[in-house]
Amino acid sequence: MRTTANIAAVTGYGYTDYAGAAKVAKNVALFAAAPFIGLAYAAAFPFVAVGMLAWYGVRAIRKRAGAA
């Protein structure tokens, strides 16, 4: 079986905890993006709510028209 070396497998450079550094970078990026994600949810909520009300209204009208 042939294996190839990657930067995480090479120990000659001194630093080998690239997985830990990637995890920290991911957490920092998510922490920085969280307010914008929350703002997007808050901005989309009224549109989603109106869409749901319209959907349930159409379903109720169809159900009532079919029963009559």
Side-chain angles (χ1 to χ4, degrees), residues 51-65:
M52 283 180 52
L53 287 172
W55 176 254
Y56 282 120
V58 168
R59 279 182 39 193
I61 290 170
R62 284 186 178 175
K63 188 175 184 180
R64 187 174 220 169

Side-chain angles (χ1 to χ4, degrees), residues 8 15-16 21 25 37 42 47 50 59 61 64:
Y15 186 75
T16 58
I37 294 169
F47 301 106
V50 168
R59 279 182 39 193
I61 290 170
R64 187 174 220 169

Side-chain angles (χ1 to χ4, degrees), residues 3-44:
T3 61
T4 58
N6 58 18
I7 193 69
V10 177
T11 59
Y13 295 112
Y15 186 75
T16 58
D17 190 22
Y18 292 105
K23 190 174 183 180
V24 169
K26 176 185 163 189
N27 287 338
V28 169
L30 287 173
F31 182 78
F36 302 105
I37 294 169
L39 182 63
Y41 274 107

